[in-house]
Amino acid sequence: MTDPKPAASLVKARLPRGLADRGADEIAAMDAMLAAIKRNYELYGFEAVETPAMEYTDALGKFLPDQDRPNEGVFSFQDDDEQWLSLRYDLTAPLARHFAEHYESLPKPYRSYRGGTVFRNEKPGPGRFRQFLQFDADTIGSASPAADAELCMMAADTLEKLGIARGDYCIKVNNRKILDGVMEAIGLGAAEDAGRRLVVLRAIDKLDRLGPEGVRFLLGPGRKDESGDFTKGAGLDAAAIDKVLAFTDARRSTNAQTLEALEAIVSSSARGLEGVAELRVLDELAKAAGYNESRVSLDPSVVRGLEYYTGPVFEADLSLEARDDKGQPIRFGSVGGGGRYDGLVARFRGEDVPATGFSIGVSRLYAALKAIDSPLVARQPHNGPVVVLVMDRDRIANYQALVGRLRDAGIRAELYLGSSGMKPQMKYADRRKSPCVVIQGSNERERGEVQLKDLIEGAQAAAAIASNEEWKAARPAQISVSEDNMVAAVREILDRHGL
Amino acid sequence: MTDPKPAASLVKARLPRGLADRGADEIAAMDAMLAAIKRNYELYGFEAVETPAMEYTDALGKFLPDQDRPNEGVFSFQDDDEQWLSLRYDLTAPLARHFAEHYESLPKPYRSYRGGTVFRNEKPGPGRFRQFLQFDADTIGSASPAADAELCMMAADTLEKLGIARGDYCIKVNNRKILDGVMEAIGLGAAEDAGRRLVVLRAIDKLDRLGPEGVRFLLGPGRKDESGDFTKGAGLDAAAIDKVLAFTDARRSTNAQTLEALEAIVSSSARGLEGVAELRVLDELAKAAGYNESRVSLDPSVVRGLEYYTGPVFEADLSLEARDDKGQPIRFGSVGGGGRYDGLVARFRGEDVPATGFSIGVSRLYAALKAIDSPLVARQPHNGPVVVLVMDRDRIANYQALVGRLRDAGIRAELYLGSSGMKPQMKYADRRKSPCVVIQGSNERERGEVQLKDLIEGAQAAAAIASNEEWKAARPAQISVSEDNMVAAVREILDRHGL
């Protein structure tokens, strides 16, 4: 394995599409963001729980919008018992399994939160990954609309605590029962129409991307996209399509007016009216808690793509405007969503268990926070370790002792471990964003001294000094101290820069 | 989906073997442990980086001890381009890919750390999972033995910072080059013997579990285990087996004596002697930094199972004694390991890049910390939210307002969202480890008051009170306060219990 390999047999170092590495700055910023989300979820009384990345395929079920694609959107494989396992595609299906498995021992209602990576075997695209982070909160075992209302309010609070200003976001709410009422009205209410209902659902879910005209094709004969791919339509007639689109377009300027419009649309369906009533209660609870309509708003165009929702559905939308590096406006749209999924636990227990949840799309929300320069995710300059340079390679133990002193004092520090000379070592320290280097040649060692170079001040001074000669004469930001004073002097430099 | 299902079509709620859910206590304890590890790795100057859970199969390579089993120890699947992807089986192979892919932009040496789940498609067993957490630190681009020595010392420091006492752990060090020397001595030095060398390596790696007598069979004709499964042996003759076992048994009472013994064993092999020389330097550096032989010790029986190591190999062993729930002694053994893998980046770049790393087996270390009651992972009693009970179901908005006041004051609180009566609500609060509940019936509401019940004090009082009647008369730990004083009174209760 240690023999040099001919170029032909080399493996190309690359990641599959839709996957990404993360560097230190992004990890630190995202950790700060996740900690803030977690604090807020805990403030609401949710308790942490975690499930593994893989489950039995049948336990997860198949509720993805793209389940008709090859491999059905999910990464699956057989274990050594020939049983099928899948990587989780969301955090809700595994939670339903966890709840059903530990039904007896869990408190009910069971209120939990969890962050974790999920995996989709889908065509990756800009902002569309095959592995991404979700952060969910769920209340299982409560049929109360207060549970749904709470999730909407918590979503609003979370966004504000992350630095999204009031007015720059909106929690949009709809109810699948109203959609069911619309289905009845267009003659798709029977059990055997489940397949076509799904096609209608998915067509509506694409409103944001395709607009009503594109969705009209998907509700009718089907649609050919720019690449020439044809998506089969729901085959509705013109009148039915108009009814569906009228439903999605029923948002009015106040929630009360929207409720009225919806009531008129599903007036003939008991289930539809039940959905309207649930929406009304949710609206009242949110208002009573001080969440006005700019924060929690009824919007019939929101249906959510996942098949398992049975009642209220929510979506957290960002309306804030930001510009990318090229000055182009960016719209962030949905950064999270959720809803009620009363039937998901029933797959295991044979009886419906009321449940509702909200999921944050962490990567998308993170991108938005970066775009608005939220202080929470702002990058800290100069956060590397102090680097002790190596001038005499046969004195490693001495240099290591200097590093040890710094670490014992709680100062992040490292020995330069490469084999290069002085200049590349300084360049290395710069790349590591080191605030300060420690230098000891044989002269200094004989005198029991070290040189400290303040790299932050040095960089500022360098910008001000014109010539190389002047630089060498001044040696700005460099001081000599005794070995015994090294720790105190380094700490002074760190303090000076607020590190 | 909302129809009740017949029992026959129900999905069984269960996890595949070798996978586990984690509850709130374990998550909090493990997070505290990971934070402590991370702080120490950063103190040493390592910088965070993360790679995704899956990679192209060829980029990961196959270096697992069990690669001869079905599916070769790795979970693999094809993506929609028919290319093979695999879940990572460790954090080192993906790091090599990351380093090779971003070679130009990364500082060199590249010092990074990362925690993450890894996956092994292996037979699960007690303490042997198919998904588990590792926490690694690596220095890529340094051939210096100081880089290896540093990892051993950092491993020792990390264990001590986690509460493992000096004397209860040992970082054991060996060198694969010495093993190469032994291979030469028994006539397995040629390129075409790579397969048999691997069998020898894996046999030695089982010393801990099988003892020298079991390993003797694996080095010779093969071994049948208790279940009757036969593992093919390396087919060495008796003299060769003796040589290999003499090597693994060459640990003496001091590192200096061990080095002497090893030198004698590989005296005819230049590569073997190179390994001994490297071990000597590592030993000197550790001693110079104040790490004596009880902390960093040379032990030729340590070889590590992964194929890719090329020089020093390390293992962090716990020698502390603990007892399980039944009073049986538990031996923890290895909680981490690592070594030098100079050839791993070469798979991408065509030239060896010196690299060394150390990996902590988080779950096993966590189990050890639990067993010795390390304060770091000790479970906090009563860490649930304040629960506002619901006495009048049509007054939800009022109760929600009370919850809102508590949350606005930063107190974790929740509304009871179930549909049960008073007694189950109290039971729910107990299960959530709630420190205190807020009660408001219609009488209290008319007076603008709430009842607060201190559940911690209440539990203590209940233990002391003999009869139900006495209890009802005393109503211990329950007070009436005005709504406006609720927040202050709740905070007083929390403060009283140090929450």
Side-chain angles (χ1 to χ4, degrees), chain A residues 17 21-22 44-45 50 53 81 97-98 106 111 131 142 150 347 400 407 414 417 431-432, chain B residues 11 17 21-22 44-45 50 53 81 97-98 106 109 111 131 142 150 153 407 414 417 431-432:
Chain A
R17 289 165 306 125
D21 295 332
R22 305 197 301 146
Y44 272 78
E50 271 181 28
D81 296 348
R97 188 271 310 152
H98 174 81
L106 290 175
R111 293 160 60 72
Q131 167 177 337
S142 170
E150 181 190 58
R347 302 177 56 247
Q400 196 183 55
R407 286 179 188 154
E414 65 172 44
L417 287 169
R431 278 201 158 177
R432 290 301 310 279
Chain B
V11 178
R17 289 165 306 127
D21 295 333
R22 305 197 300 146
Y44 271 78
E50 273 182 27
D81 296 348
R97 188 272 309 153
H98 175 81
L106 290 175
R111 292 159 62 73
Q131 167 177 337
S142 170
E150 180 190 58
M153 301 187 288
R407 285 179 188 154
E414 66 172 44
L417 287 168
R431 277 202 160 177
R432 290 301 311 279

Side-chain angles (χ1 to χ4, degrees), chain A residues 134-150:
Chain A
Q134 290 191 330
F135 212 98
D136 288 22
D138 294 79
T139 297
I140 303 188
S142 170
S144 170
D148 303 298
E150 181 190 58

